[in-house]
Amino acid sequence: MVCQKNCDRIEIVESVWKGEMYMQSKVIQIGEKAIDIREPMIILFDDSATEPLQQVSVIHRFIEPQEWFELADGDRILFDEQEYRISYIGNHVLRNLQSIGHTTMIFKNWDEERLETSIYLTPHILPTITDGTIISYRKKDWRWVQWKEPHVKE
């Protein structure tokens, strides 16, 4: 980076993902009936969902390049900056995410009849989602590394 005239210094602070695994998708559409505060869940599908499914779903698209990995209890999901912890993840979630972008995110305690296509999350509060929200899937031991580049003078 080159400093302009009369510049004492330039300080650059960047957040960098350092060697940890993560996946991201971007919300591209929110169905008319997708969010209901009485039902603590979000149904995700990719843009191949039928019109009836689109009405009750949040439509998202994975951001490339994508490194797929198995999510596990304790891993994190972020909706922009809103962080949630996975308390249970069904056995069919990864396969469904890869094929049709589908899972159901449930924001309540799981019971004996938990859904194998769902992710149960805490806290038990629906996140704020808008068109353009980034959904990040991260392993539980993820860390952000920040650094500052040296000061530059002309």
Side-chain angles (χ1 to χ4, degrees):
M1 174 169 271
V2 177
C3 183
Q4 301 299 320
K5 291 181 180 177
N6 301 321
C7 205
D8 289 329
R9 64 185 188 158
I10 296 175
E11 191 170 293
I12 301 169
V13 178
E14 295 185 50
S15 293
V16 176
W17 188 249
K18 191 76 171 185
E20 306 294 339
M21 292 172 53
Y22 72 101
M23 300 181 293
Q24 288 186 319
S25 66
K26 183 176 183 178
V27 172
I28 58 173
Q29 177 186 334
I30 300 172
E32 284 180 27
K33 300 174 185 173
I35 308 293
D36 182 348
I37 59 171
R38 296 169 297 183
E39 291 291 329
M41 70 173 67
I42 295 172
I43 301 169
L44 291 177
F45 273 100
D46 66 17
D47 53 9
S48 69
T50 63
E51 181 60 33
L53 282 175
Q54 288 182 20
Q55 294 299 311
V56 297
S57 301
V58 172
I59 306 302
H60 69 129
R61 183 175 296 133
F62 277 96
I63 299 170
E64 299 296 336
Q66 198 61 60
E67 283 188 49
W68 293 101
F69 61 90
E70 288 286 342
L71 293 164
D73 297 354
D75 289 346
R76 309 289 180 187
I77 296 180
L78 285 80
F79 298 86
D80 291 328
E81 301 299 320
Q82 304 161 85
E83 184 174 321
Y84 292 80
R85 186 183 62 80
I86 297 173
S87 57
Y88 176 79
I89 184 159
N91 292 324
H92 305 297
V93 169
L94 182 62
R95 182 177 57 225
N96 285 352
L97 279 173
Q98 288 175 318
S99 61
I100 56 175
H102 172 63
T103 192
T104 301
M105 296 191 178
I106 301 176
F107 301 87
K108 66 178 185 177
N109 288 328
W110 52 272
D111 54 29
E112 295 303 315
E113 295 185 29
R114 52 193 176 221
L115 302 171
E116 293 301 320
T117 58
S118 297
I119 301 172
Y120 292 78
L121 298 163
T122 60
H124 301 144
I125 300 166
L126 282 171
T128 301
I129 297 178
T130 61
D131 285 350
T133 290
I134 300 296
I135 304 172
S136 301
Y137 305 80
R138 302 190 191 281
K139 297 305 286 178
K140 61 185 159 197
D141 58 352
W142 66 277
R143 294 180 306 273
W144 284 103
V145 175
Q146 292 190 329
W147 82 85
K148 296 179 182 181
E149 288 193 10
H151 303 301
V152 178
K153 278 186 138 177
E154 276 193 336

